[in-house]
Amino acid sequence: MPGTQFIQVKSPNVIYGSTAIESTYDYTECNVQYENDRITAVPETTTYNIRTQTLIPKLGVMLVGWGGNNGSTLTAAVLANKLGLSWPTKEGTVSANFYGSIIQSSTILLGTDESHKEVFVPLRSMVPFVNPEDIVFDGWDISHLNLREAMRRAQVLDYHLQEQLADEMVKLRPRPSIYDSTFIAANQAERANNIIAGTREQQMDQIRKDIRDFKKKNSLEKVIVLWTANTERFSEVRYGLNDTAENLLSSIKKNESEVSPSTIFAVASILEGCAYINGSPQNTFVPGYRTS
């Protein structure tokens, strides 16, 4: 198959500009209506205008729970690929790869060629994506362990891979994080030795400072905050507490106990202009966050 570095779509609905791809997409669904004994199907079309940035930014990712199993393993995996590592296992020598990554290892059916054969192309060739090996990592954790020790505690990676990564991982240490024993499992208390003290507003201000510090020190153009920490219990959602952006910010200022740590991280992220990804099934995105 010819080179697939980047796929272009030849269509009046797609425009390639110097900084973005502009596309128009019509999504059609069927609205079913009941009238006495008659069923009527009414097609309805919604038009979406989609803009995809083509200039790949220097990206930083800050992980909440960086020293946990997920955070330490993700960081180690990207490093192993970046360094081109291989290591022995009982099944033989294994080399680092991005198998399991939807973007890096998946293909997508593009269409059929002149001989009516289906053409599959790498998903990463459809639009410009950040190379994961170029991502700068940082983050927070309630444990002070550096990532070498966190990796060893997690016991996810093969021993020989851990040994090759040790000198790099030991340089990485999480920033203090928010700990609230009423929101997560009691078994986390014994490792909570790296804590941001103060009120919820003071904690949010520190998170915002951390994001700005990380961005400045690494000359980053974009930062994403990703929750990889323990799953929290659900927060109460009630009038006056977190039903609007104004009330949510007021509740943080008043140090309301029902504002969860994950919501504090999410609000801090949005105030700093960062995308926030919730990696746990908890109600971080209370109504007040969604309207902010």
Side-chain angles (χ1 to χ4, degrees):
M1 183 174 63
T4 55
Q5 289 299 311
F6 183 66
I7 305 298
Q8 285 204 350
V9 178
K10 188 177 182 180
S11 166
N13 295 325
V14 181
I15 299 173
Y16 291 88
S18 58
T19 60
I21 303 170
E22 306 277 352
S23 60
T24 302
Y25 177 73
D26 290 334
Y27 176 75
T28 301
E29 56 186 339
C30 195
N31 181 21
V32 179
Q33 301 174 355
Y34 300 96
E35 298 178 14
N36 299 323
D37 60 346
R38 176 181 296 178
I39 298 177
T40 304
V42 182
E44 295 182 347
T45 299
T46 303
T47 300
Y48 292 95
N49 296 313
I50 303 168
R51 177 184 292 111
T52 303
Q53 182 180 341
T54 55
L55 299 177
I56 298 176
K58 184 175 181 183
L59 176 66
V61 174
M62 300 191 79
L63 305 175
V64 187
W66 196 20
N69 292 9
N70 295 328
S72 60
T73 303
L74 171 62
T75 307
V78 173
L79 268 174
N81 277 276
K82 186 174 183 177
L83 298 172
L85 300 183
S86 297
W87 61 98
T89 71
K90 61 183 180 181
E91 287 85 18
T93 300
V94 176
S95 297
N97 58 66
F98 281 111
Y99 295 166
S101 167
I102 293 175
I103 293 173
Q104 294 298 311
S105 62
S106 297
T107 60
I108 186 171
L109 175 60
L110 186 64
T112 56
D113 61 17
E114 294 178 354
S115 61
H116 305 292
K117 292 182 179 179
E118 292 183 331
V119 177
F120 291 85
V121 296
L123 179 58
R124 65 178 182 272
S125 68
M126 295 299 296
V127 294
F129 282 104
V130 173
N131 184 336
E133 296 176 11
D134 295 333
I135 296 174
V136 183
F137 286 99
D138 203 311
W140 305 267
D141 200 279
I142 60 174
S143 170
H144 74 275
L145 291 183
N146 63 61
L147 260 64
R148 180 187 66 185
E149 300 308 314
M151 172 180 64
R152 289 173 173 170
R153 178 180 59 190
Q155 299 180 12
V156 174
L157 302 177
D158 288 329
Y159 171 79
H160 293 290
L161 175 57
Q162 290 187 39
E163 289 302 291
Q164 290 188 65
L165 289 167
D167 289 345
E168 294 295 326
M169 295 288 278
V170 75
K171 303 173 186 175
L172 307 175
R173 187 179 296 274
R175 300 167 188 260
S177 190
I178 303 172
Y179 173 68
D180 187 330
S181 61
T182 68
F183 276 93
I184 58 175
N187 63 2
Q188 296 299 302
E190 62 184 28
R191 53 176 292 205
N193 54 18
N194 196 40
I195 307 302
I196 301 174
T199 65
R200 277 160 167 70
E201 183 177 41
Q202 291 170 330
Q203 291 170 336
M204 183 181 72
D205 288 343
Q206 183 59 53
I207 297 303
R208 295 185 65 182
K209 289 177 184 176
D210 289 342
I211 294 172
R212 292 195 296 268
D213 174 69
F214 173 55
K215 191 172 185 179
K216 182 178 180 180
K217 283 184 176 178
N218 294 280
S219 301
L220 301 172
E221 298 167 290
K222 185 174 184 178
V223 173
I224 294 173
V225 177
L226 169 62
W227 179 277
T228 67
N230 278 39
T231 301
E232 299 173 332
R233 68 166 174 82
F234 268 38
S235 303
E236 291 183 33
V237 177
R238 63 174 187 261
Y239 175 78
L241 174 71
N242 49 20
D243 56 322
T244 68
E246 182 180 3
N247 287 339
L248 177 56
L249 289 172
S250 176
S251 294
I252 292 174
K253 189 175 185 63
K254 291 187 289 187
N255 200 34
E256 291 282 357
S257 62
E258 201 54 29
V259 178
S260 69
S262 66
T263 296
I264 295 173
F265 273 101
V267 172
S269 300
I270 200 170
L271 291 176
E272 290 301 317
C274 300
Y276 176 88
I277 301 174
N278 201 30
S280 290
Q282 56 209 17
N283 65 337
T284 300
F285 303 133
V286 293
Y289 176 84
R290 297 197 297 270
T291 59
S292 60

